[in-house]
Amino acid sequence: MTEIYETQPERTDLPLVVMPAILDSMVEPLKAQLPVLKDVARVRLYLDFTEDADLIVERTAQADVMINGGPHLSDDLLHRLSGGVRGGEGGKVGCIVFSGTGVASYINLALARELGVRICNAVHYGDNAVAEHTFALLLELVRHVGELSSGVKAGVWANPLGDGLQLAGRRLGIIGLGGIGSTVARIARAFGMEVAAWRTSQTPAERFEESGATPVDDLNELIASSDVVSVHMPLIDGATRGLITADNLAHLKPGTLFINTARAEVIEPGALVARLQKGDIPAALDVYDHEPLPADDPLRSIPGIVLTPHVGWRTDGAFRELTRQMVACIAAYFAGEDLNVVVSER
């Protein structure tokens, strides 16, 4: 039987917040934040993880607010959660708080707006975490520490992978100079790298000065002139989905190191796989079009690339800040205030 953690269960006069599925790493940080909701709302956490739609509906049947800890919410499920019914019994969820930033990958925002469901997310909670993971991936590409460690443990005292590459003096091209991209830029400069970033109309001019990145107006020029290309563009429907095209990737010169810790969907479908299959671009990826990565995905069989299971954001510090923002969003909702609102119910 699934373990349940509840606060103020006797306060049936208070609205109910339910988290129907949770990652183990989020449990303790979230519990630590819940005193903020004392006398505001009672909270019920189901201490397991599920993507079963019927079970999610059952667990949130009486909830006013749902915390979405990762399951993808289909359109049918969103209807059922909000009381729009379609496909089964409906609930009464008026606000969904997403445990992350890229909510567009998990919830149909246009449908949520149509159904009158507020959607909140968390922002900048993982800037340091993802930036640090970006460099973990980059360092694996240039020094192969993981592979060499496995070799030594297996009795191989040699370097079959060849000499490493030095980051100092190399040029890093950043696509997306937001909170994470700016943090990556500062770390890169500490390594002695030359840093440039794509300048878009959404990027404040002062951000380039603050991060030490040289602005480049043409994306193809940025890609072609860089030794390392790192993607940090958020996924925004109608703006960044498929923004990086096959033509852009064609400007990667052989040997360029390519990293994506942002969202796979910001790249034109199929374009990255096609470019990597040529075999001349070492790459490291933490995000994919389909997650978990299917067993037959061609990325699994391309030599020279490093794959991690979308864990760039998962650190102790990121979980603390993430859960703080989640609870603050809930408190704001019940107070009639707006915080991190991606879709308004009004």
Side-chain angles (χ1 to χ4, degrees):
M1 181 176 293
T2 299
E3 184 180 355
I4 298 174
Y5 177 83
E6 292 189 84
T7 66
Q8 307 177 95
E10 73 287 351
R11 291 292 308 273
T12 55
D13 58 306
L14 295 176
L16 176 64
V17 176
V18 174
M19 190 169 190
I22 191 169
L23 298 172
D24 289 344
S25 300
M26 196 179 293
V27 174
E28 293 308 318
L30 183 53
K31 285 182 179 179
Q33 299 294 334
L34 294 181
V36 172
L37 297 177
K38 187 178 187 303
D39 297 327
V40 174
R42 51 200 168 105
V43 179
R44 183 180 301 150
L45 308 179
Y46 288 85
L47 303 183
D48 65 354
F49 191 85
T50 181
E51 295 201 68
D52 182 278
D54 291 334
L55 188 55
I56 290 173
V57 170
E58 177 185 325
R59 291 178 174 182
T60 58
Q62 301 303 315
D64 301 280
V65 172
M66 171 185 166
I67 303 176
N68 182 18
H72 289 74
L73 304 187
S74 67
D75 289 358
D76 180 72
L77 179 52
L78 191 56
H79 270 93
R80 295 173 66 186
L81 291 171
S82 66
V85 188
R86 200 176 93 169
E89 290 297 322
K92 61 170 188 171
V93 172
C95 175
I96 297 175
V97 176
F98 178 66
S99 59
T101 300
V103 63
S105 298
Y106 292 80
I107 299 173
N108 183 335
L109 300 183
L111 178 59
R113 186 174 294 107
E114 177 186 325
L115 293 170
V117 178
R118 175 185 289 203
I119 306 294
C120 300
N121 69 348
V123 296
H124 298 302
Y125 69 93
D127 287 359
N128 288 305
V130 178
E132 290 170 7
H133 192 71
T134 297
F135 270 86
L137 294 173
L138 178 54
L139 289 168
E140 182 62 29
L141 286 178
V142 299
R143 301 307 297 264
H144 311 293
V145 172
E147 290 188 65
L148 291 172
S149 175
S150 296
V152 171
K153 291 175 180 179
V156 178
W157 190 260
N159 185 0
L161 303 170
D163 294 332
L165 301 176
Q166 179 174 292
L167 292 180
R170 282 187 158 80
R171 181 179 172 90
L172 168 65
I174 296 174
I175 303 176
L177 195 65
I180 296 171
S182 296
T183 306
V184 167
R186 289 191 287 270
I187 295 173
R189 291 178 61 212
F191 271 92
M193 301 184 75
E194 177 189 347
V195 182
W198 187 29
R199 176 162 54 190
T200 70
S201 59
Q202 285 75 43
T203 310
E206 60 270 19
R207 193 169 294 162
F208 290 93
E209 183 176 349
E210 292 167 356
S211 65
T214 301
V216 178
D217 294 323
D218 185 83
L219 181 56
N220 288 340
E221 178 187 338
L222 176 73
I223 291 173
S225 64
S226 297
D227 302 301
V228 180
V229 173
S230 193
V231 180
H232 301 287
M233 189 71 68
L235 178 63
I236 303 172
D237 279 322
T240 64
R241 186 179 291 274
L243 182 65
I244 302 171
T245 67
D247 176 68
N248 297 141
L249 296 179
H251 287 78
L252 289 165
K253 60 180 182 285
T256 301
L257 308 175
F258 184 88
I259 299 171
N260 189 5
T261 55
R263 281 289 188 270
E265 297 94 333
V266 301
I267 301 175
E268 178 185 346
L272 182 59
V273 169
R275 183 64 187 87
L276 295 182
Q277 284 179 326
K278 293 183 178 180
D280 60 350
I281 300 296
L285 309 175
D286 188 48
V287 290
Y288 311 93
D289 288 317
H290 303 285
E291 298 180 2
L293 192 65
D296 60 350
D297 193 289
L299 286 171
R300 290 175 175 262
S301 59
I302 300 174
I305 67 174
V306 175
L307 307 176
T308 55
H310 202 156
V311 294
W313 62 281
R314 295 187 61 165
T315 66
D316 55 352
F319 275 119
R320 283 194 299 271
E321 176 58 17
L322 171 61
T323 53
R324 185 197 68 78
Q325 290 190 41
M326 288 160 55
V327 171
C329 286
I330 295 168
Y333 174 70
F334 288 124
E337 301 169 353
D338 292 347
L339 179 65
N340 294 356
V341 176
V342 178
V343 171
S344 175
E345 73 278 18
R346 295 185 290 274

